[in-house]
Amino acid sequence: MSAHELKTGPLEYRTQEGQMSIMGFWIFLAAEIVLFSTLFATYAVLFGRTVDAPTPGHLFEPGIVLVMTFLLLTSSFTCGIAVHQMRKGSVKALIIWMVITLALGAGFLGFEIYEFVHYVHEGATMQSSAFWSAFFTLTGTHGLHVTLGIGWAVLLLIQIAKRGLTPVTSRKMFIISLYWHFLDVVWIFIFTSVYLIGMVV
Amino acid sequence: MRLDEFFVTGEPLIYAGMVSIALVTSAALFLLTYFKKWGWLWREWLTTVDHKKIGIMYILAALAMLFRGGVDALMMRVQLAFPDMNFLDAQHYDEIFTTHGTVMIIFMAMPFLIGLMNIIVPLQIGARDFAFPYVNALSFWSFMFGAMLFNISFVIGGSPDAGWTSYTPLAGAAMSPGPGQNFYLLGLQLSGIGTLATGINLMVTILKMRAPGMKLFQMPIFTWSTLVTCFIIVFAFPILTVALALMTIDRIFGSQFFTLTGEGLPMMWANLFWMWGHPEVYIVILPAFGIFSEVIATFAKKRLFGYNAMVWSMILIAGLSFLVWVHHFFTMGAGAFVNSVFSISTMLIAVPTGVKIFNWLATLYKAKIKFSVAMMWALAFIPSFVIGGVTGVMLGMAAADYQFHNSYFLVAHFHYVLIAGTVFACFAGLVFWYPKMFGHKLNERLGKWSFWFFVIGFHVCFFPQYFLGLDGMPRRIFITNIAEWLPLNIISTVGAFGMGAGFAIFVFNIYYSYRYSEREKTGDSWDGRTLEWATPTPVPYYNFATVPYVDKYDAFLAMKEKGETTYDEERLEPIHMPSYTGQPFIMMGFLFIASFALVFEWIPLAILGLAGGLIMMIVRSFDYDEGYYVEVDEIKRIERKARGL
Amino acid sequence: MAEHSKSIPVQHIIGFVLSIVLTLLAAWAALGSNLPVKWIIAGILTLAVIQAGIQLFMFMHMTESESRNGHVPWNMMFHGFVLAAIIVAGSLFTMSWGFDHHPGKDDMGTHQEEEQQHGGH
């Protein structure tokens, strides 16, 4: 509740409120690590329990997964650039880079939905077996996070366009950048332990 | 859906429940309308973001839940003492032990402790509110709506009946059809959101809002226990969130995680549940340790012995709590190696816990003890908890556990740790901090009566259960007319009613003290040692007019020696405070609707409720309310009145 | 502050290039190489951890001094990852591999073999 405001440093850290929000969000991300790792654990334990549904080795295609991975990796990079521009005080560049980020994210989602539809078409559904339940829940939870992130970022961009960069808006922007990078971290593990291992074993 | 499927029918006890709910609700509505209190209720309570008021609401709700869970317990005990009376049938008995366990852990123990943390922690560290007051209100309403959702199950739709652990496949859609189990899943999910948010909120509060100068190792021990508890909450609750979500998806959308078809793995539920569940028991015991430490130090009038060892042992317990979960299902059939690993890690926890016990004893050693009611609860805790702990180590031995598992020995063990630990601490903490909350002490004479009834009743109730367990009586059965078991069961039931009487006297004492107790004038009711006693009583809504500089453990003791107060007219500045808002209440109201709809699998209504919740989040995102300032003149007026200057 | 005033975000570009290279390396190891399966799994998981580190340290400013958070974020993130390891490895240990210790004695052993066959497709 302190009204003291620092005069230097990135805007998002200048108020105590900003510092506390960012710290709180880091702690939330730590909780998210546990949330996703529980899903990973479920997936790992239920691995191979496909019953009559197709096996992952049959369905996973390296091409589409690599494209999705590069889309998300690039979006994480452009999101980083957006924050870099924010710290230089450039609202316009920030918005442009964020729009690119969100477009890449939407592209990722498009491929993921295509992939899901394809699998369901092949008979691998949420209901078909324990393995596929775990697969859809793990990747779907990540996809849901990306969807929410896109919606959240759009709301934020409206606020930044209206209000410019203040300690409050830049704090919000910084937090969503953390969220977006974090989703990339999660995807790296999904890419590795779901898709690559699924195709190897 | 027909109306007689919606409401639970055909059970006289539940009809009585319905009638009493209807009567109490209409009485409350009538009184609110008659005394024109609706505006007051909305302005002062439903929209509040003040940590003290939210804490009081938490504690009131927890007391109500203690009553509900207690009535469940008494009904079970009646059935077990008089098995031939047909008081309860099998179905009703199953529902009651399920709701008893769930209500006591999730909706009684945690909110009670979180309520005390809400009120006390900011005061102990010299903060004016939580780091995120809005989120704090959100947490409370998510708990409250979650608890209400769970509790209405017994009149609408039917209660869950698969035990508070809800093991699959019993709890799955195939063997528990209908809404009962969904109430469990969604009630816990809804309140779990709030618990996680509280964990983050309190953690940031403690790390970033301490009084200037106060180092981590100068914090009061209750604040330390809160910090460690928050650490466990942040890392344990997401596991529960996922486990509940997976079972919900199983039941409502037909997936195969825990089913017997589709190669699901029912024991995976037990694995996930206890990965959360074991840390959960430390979530409810560590704050209790913190409360006892404060009470013992205050009434022994000595600095807590081995402060550093106390803190480190809590940190160690927190770490170990994540490494022992398998001891809840040693009998699953995992290999000897798995069981041995978890058996050893389980017994390791006894070491830091033992350190704490010895530190309390050392604090009491050669002290001039004042036997107030709060202190008596703390003193009763030590030996009772040791009995629970020692039998816990017995259960931790995997080979022996094949004998003890699912018997009354286990039931006795966890009631010994949870009641002697958590419930005694809730009473001790409430009695201890009551004057800070309400401006008057609880009557000590009545307090002692309730103490003796409860503590003696507790031992009479649960000690025989160890022997019932050794005699082979399994838990969760409702027919007990086996000659060897009957006498001990009757004794146990007598004890349970003793505890009920103790609780009744406690509640009466709240009313009695409200009427007759002397009002507090100083704010320092017990010659306290920590900063919460430095504020005047009742605590002004901004807590501290001026925040003291802290460079010692037992900060208020040092202030008293130097003659300082938290009101220094020279240093007064306008204080920034957050505005009250109804958003948290409305947001969680929408999520309540969504959850209720999901319980009955009305998907369109659930989507509507979720959309409402999302809209409220968007409203919040565009809300740039920055709070307001309390002017210096206002502070002067309030402080002068409170301090009688 | 040094990074703050630079016009080209060098760190981000290095991080981006590294993450692309590591991804391709992992994909090659899994799909193009003839290493033993256990080695591949261990190798690509290590690469994933390195990549996560790149995101955290080069993109997410986890350790920047302006934050005034002191040690808190990396402390909590570190414990988060430790816990992730406990949850995943612990679940596999108790639920999947824990039954290996008495193979052939009951039907557990054959069940394990079946599972491996399923995975082998």
Side-chain angles (χ1 to χ4, degrees):
Chain A
M1 294 301 106
S2 159
H4 300 298
E5 203 172 304
L6 302 169
K7 294 289 174 255
T8 58
L11 275 175
E12 61 269 24
Y13 291 130
R14 282 194 195 169
T15 58
Q16 201 200 359
E17 196 214 353
Q19 291 174 24
M20 289 194 303
S21 300
I22 291 169
M23 181 198 262
F25 198 76
W26 273 107
I27 299 173
F28 172 73
L29 287 184
E32 285 270 80
I33 293 179
V34 175
L35 184 132
F36 276 104
S37 64
T38 313
L39 290 167
F40 275 108
T42 311
Y43 175 84
V45 168
L46 298 178
F47 190 82
R49 294 170 173 261
T50 44
V51 202
D52 299 328
T55 58
H58 263 103
L59 289 188
F60 291 168
E61 287 164 28
I64 189 173
V65 179
L66 271 175
V67 171
M68 283 162 77
T69 306
F70 286 135
L71 281 175
L72 214 57
L73 280 178
T74 315
S75 83
S76 183
F77 170 65
T78 56
C79 181
I81 303 290
V83 170
H84 181 79
Q85 296 292 349
M86 177 178 83
R87 292 197 168 174
K88 289 197 333 192
S90 167
V91 178
K92 208 176 142 202
L94 160 69
I95 293 181
I96 292 172
W97 283 106
M98 269 319 278
V99 170
I100 296 175
T101 305
L102 298 184
L104 291 167
F108 168 87
L109 272 183
F111 276 104
E112 184 157 61
I113 292 167
Y114 165 78
E115 189 205 358
F116 282 6
V117 171
H118 172 66
Y119 290 172
V120 169
H121 202 71
E122 296 286 321
T125 64
M126 191 93 180
Q127 290 80 19
S128 61
S129 74
F131 170 83
W132 287 108
S133 302
F135 169 84
F136 282 111
T137 311
L138 171 55
T139 50
T141 307
H142 177 266
L144 186 68
H145 273 74
V146 175
T147 315
L148 287 176
I150 292 175
W152 177 16
V154 169
L155 295 178
L156 203 49
L157 288 179
I158 297 172
Q159 292 171 32
I160 288 178
K162 257 177 30 191
R163 293 167 183 272
L165 288 176
T166 65
V168 178
T169 53
S170 33
R171 180 252 296 167
K172 289 184 174 184
M173 183 59 223
F174 186 75
I175 285 177
I176 197 167
S177 82
L178 292 181
Y179 180 77
W180 197 265
H181 293 310
F182 176 77
L183 293 184
D184 203 32
V185 174
V186 175
W187 180 258
I188 291 165
F189 283 99
I190 293 181
F191 170 69
T192 307
S193 54
V194 174
Y195 289 100
L196 289 185
I197 293 181
M199 284 186 274
V200 170
V201 177
Chain B
M1 174 170 270
R2 296 204 329 270
L3 210 58
D4 63 337
E5 286 171 10
F6 187 67
F7 289 106
V8 178
T9 50
E11 185 64 62
L13 284 168
I14 291 179
Y15 285 136
M18 283 179 188
V19 170
S20 57
I21 288 177
L23 281 178
V24 171
T25 313
S26 40
L29 294 181
F30 172 77
L31 287 174
L32 281 169
T33 314
Y34 185 78
F35 291 106
K36 297 193 175 62
K37 288 287 188 189
W38 283 101
W40 165 82
L41 183 70
W42 177 258
R43 278 192 309 275
E44 296 292 319
W45 295 96
L46 301 188
T47 60
T48 186
V49 294
D50 183 336
H51 70 100
K52 300 177 287 295
K53 286 188 175 174
I54 291 175
I56 288 171
M57 289 195 287
Y58 262 119
I59 291 173
L60 283 178
L63 283 172
M65 289 296 110
L66 183 56
F67 173 73
R68 195 253 146 116
V71 171
D72 283 350
L74 292 180
M75 284 161 71
M76 279 191 280
R77 282 314 324 167
V78 169
Q79 168 66 28
L80 292 178
F82 307 102
D84 297 324
M85 212 172 70
N86 288 328
F87 179 62
L88 299 174
D89 60 19
Q91 175 62 27
H92 200 179
Y93 188 82
D94 289 354
E95 290 176 1
I96 284 178
F97 72 64
T98 302
T99 53
H100 167 76
T102 315
V103 162
M104 285 300 200
I105 292 277
I106 309 279
F107 301 123
M108 191 289 283
M110 280 211 300
F112 210 129
L113 294 166
I114 288 177
L116 289 172
M117 291 174 186
N118 253 279
I119 299 167
I120 299 306
V121 167
L123 294 175
Q124 280 196 331
I125 60 174
R128 291 195 168 118
D129 206 324
F130 270 39
F132 314 113
Y134 180 96
V135 178
N136 193 25
L138 210 61
S139 294
F140 172 74
W141 290 110
S142 97
F143 148 70
M144 193 66 199
F145 280 117
M148 275 163 41
L149 182 65
F150 185 84
N151 275 283
I152 53 171
S153 68
F154 90 103
V155 289
I156 296 174
S159 294
D161 57 358
W164 87 278
T165 50
S166 284
Y167 275 14
T168 47
L170 175 60
M175 300 176 82
S176 295
Q181 185 60 24
N182 295 350
F183 272 114
Y184 171 91
L185 293 168
L186 289 149
L188 263 62
Q189 189 72 281
L190 192 54
S191 64
I193 301 169
T195 311
L196 179 62
T198 300
I200 296 174
N201 205 342
L202 269 166
M203 202 168 197
V204 177
T205 308
I206 294 172
L207 290 173
K208 296 287 283 183
M209 295 178 76
R210 295 194 304 280
M214 187 188 273
K215 297 197 185 70
L216 278 179
F217 274 85
Q218 288 167 346
M219 297 194 308
I221 196 84
F222 178 61
T223 302
W224 250 116
S225 73
T226 303
L227 181 62
V228 178
T229 305
C230 290
F231 179 90
I232 307 180
I233 288 178
V234 166
F235 287 129
F237 263 77
I239 307 176
L240 176 72
T241 306
V242 170
L244 293 171
L246 297 185
M247 202 202 277
T248 312
I249 300 171
D250 257 11
R251 289 179 55 89
I252 299 182
F253 301 104
S255 63
Q256 311 276 5
F257 292 104
F258 310 124
T259 56
L260 291 169
T261 54
E263 290 199 57
L265 196 55
M267 278 312 284
M268 187 62 190
W269 163 264
N271 184 60
L272 294 180
F273 182 86
W274 287 114
M275 271 185 175
W276 159 77
H278 198 85
E280 164 69 12
V281 302
Y282 289 91
I283 291 171
V284 294
I285 203 66
L286 286 182
F289 289 170
I291 293 168
F292 289 130
S293 302
E294 298 284 2
V295 169
I296 287 175
T298 304
F299 293 105
K301 298 199 182 302
K302 264 173 78 180
R303 192 195 146 114
L304 185 68
F305 184 87
Y307 172 84
N308 287 335
M310 286 297 225
V311 172
W312 281 108
S313 60
M314 280 196 289
I315 294 172
L316 215 62
I317 291 173
L320 283 172
S321 74
F322 285 98
L323 297 170
V324 300
W325 74 93
V326 175
H327 71 213
H328 295 273
F329 48 96
F330 276 148
T331 53
M332 171 177 76
F337 183 62
V338 174
N339 280 0
S340 309
V341 167
F342 286 96
S343 197
I344 290 167
S345 61
T346 302
M347 287 187 240
L348 272 181
I349 290 196
V351 178
T353 316
V355 168
K356 298 189 79 70
I357 300 277
F358 284 113
N359 277 329
W360 286 314
L361 293 179
T363 310
L364 293 170
Y365 180 66
K366 284 195 173 173
K368 239 185 147 167
I369 298 170
K370 183 165 181 286
F371 285 92
S372 74
V373 174
M375 185 63 165
M376 286 165 73
W377 286 110
L379 293 177
F381 148 78
I382 296 175
S384 312
F385 189 80
V386 168
I387 298 174
V390 169
T391 50
V393 177
M394 290 167 73
L395 282 156
M397 293 184 263
D401 186 64
Y402 273 76
Q403 284 300 313
F404 302 136
H405 187 80
N406 261 5
S407 74
Y408 258 74
F409 191 85
L410 169 77
V411 174
H413 155 70
F414 69 68
H415 282 95
Y416 255 87
V417 281
L418 284 171
I419 295 180
T422 308
V423 177
F424 284 14
C426 290
F427 287 144
L430 188 56
V431 172
F432 183 55
W433 283 308
Y434 200 86
K436 189 56 33 190
M437 291 152 63
F438 295 104
H440 59 87
K441 285 182 187 169
L442 286 172
N443 183 287
E444 289 273 307
R445 235 172 74 86
L446 279 173
K448 281 177 188 170
W449 276 104
S450 88
F451 167 82
W452 286 115
F453 265 103
F454 198 91
V455 171
I456 294 172
F458 161 72
H459 283 282
V460 172
C461 179
F462 291 105
F463 204 72
Q465 294 187 2
Y466 282 120
F467 297 96
L468 279 170
L470 295 176
D471 285 346
M473 179 171 157
R475 70 198 282 206
R476 294 175 176 169
I477 55 162
F478 83 117
I479 298 283
T480 52
N481 44 3
I482 291 177
E484 290 88 347
W485 296 344
L486 208 54
L488 286 177
N489 266 318
I490 290 172
I491 294 173
S492 179
T493 300
V494 170
F497 277 90
M499 292 167 79
F503 177 71
I505 299 171
F506 193 95
V507 172
F508 173 72
N509 194 6
I510 291 177
Y511 166 76
Y512 182 88
S513 308
Y514 168 72
R515 289 293 299 275
Y516 302 110
S517 258
E518 195 187 334
R519 305 293 119 161
E520 283 293 322
K521 292 195 183 66
T522 59
D524 180 14
S525 320
W526 312 104
D527 194 14
R529 312 169 73 83
T530 42
L531 276 186
E532 74 267 32
W533 303 110
T535 54
T537 296
V539 187
Y541 54 92
Y542 49 76
N543 293 355
F544 297 91
T546 51
V547 180
Y549 183 85
V550 177
D551 54 2
K552 271 202 191 72
Y553 179 60
D554 282 343
F556 183 48
L557 212 61
M559 282 172 71
K560 279 193 278 194
E561 278 163 17
K562 281 186 272 180
E564 288 172 6
T565 64
T566 58
Y567 178 58
D568 184 353
E569 270 197 33
E570 329 265 276
R571 281 170 59 215
L572 283 184
E573 278 175 19
I575 295 172
H576 181 237
M577 293 300 289
S579 325
Y580 281 16
T581 164
Q583 287 176 26
F585 180 77
I586 299 169
M587 191 190 294
M588 284 303 156
F590 276 120
L591 293 186
F592 173 82
I593 294 171
S595 308
F596 184 77
L598 263 183
V599 165
F600 289 93
E601 301 177 27
W602 300 331
I603 305 300
L605 183 61
I607 292 172
L608 270 177
L610 271 180
L614 272 177
I615 289 169
M616 286 311 295
M617 288 176 206
I618 295 171
V619 168
R620 168 63 178 166
S621 180
F622 281 87
D623 177 7
Y624 276 71
D625 186 305
E626 297 205 328
Y628 63 97
Y629 281 90
V630 189
E631 294 308 327
V632 172
D633 291 338
E634 168 89 353
I635 303 171
K636 274 188 186 161
R637 195 178 55 74
I638 294 172
E639 292 285 325
R640 281 189 179 150
K641 186 164 167 257
R643 290 171 189 273
L645 296 173
Chain C
M1 291 302 289
E3 194 219 347
H4 172 57
S5 53
K6 259 185 221 151
S7 56
I8 303 170
V10 183
Q11 234 188 352
H12 284 95
I13 294 171
I14 297 173
F16 181 53
V17 172
L18 273 177
S19 57
I20 297 282
V21 171
L22 290 175
T23 306
L24 288 173
L25 195 64
W28 170 80
L31 306 169
S33 76
N34 288 319
L35 295 166
V37 172
K38 275 186 183 168
W39 282 69
I40 294 179
I41 293 178
I44 58 180
L45 283 176
T46 316
L47 290 175
V49 171
I50 297 172
Q51 266 210 66
I54 289 173
Q55 293 281 330
L56 288 167
F57 288 100
M58 302 187 88
F59 286 1
M60 292 167 83
H61 317 267
M62 191 161 75
T63 47
E64 70 185 352
S65 55
E66 286 94 335
S67 66
R68 285 160 224 280
N69 286 344
H71 60 286
V72 170
W74 75 257
N75 187 338
M76 287 303 280
M77 292 310 263
F78 170 76
H79 283 105
F81 280 108
V82 169
L83 230 79
I86 292 174
I87 291 169
V88 176
S91 292
L92 284 170
F93 176 57
T94 49
M95 302 308 294
S96 298
W97 304 330
F99 300 94
D100 272 350
H101 286 267
H102 43 135
K105 223 160 123 190
D106 47 35
D107 59 357
M108 287 300 177
T110 49
H111 183 69
Q112 282 284 315
E113 275 166 35
E114 264 172 37
E115 254 189 59
Q116 308 234 310
Q117 276 169 13
H118 272 293
H121 286 299

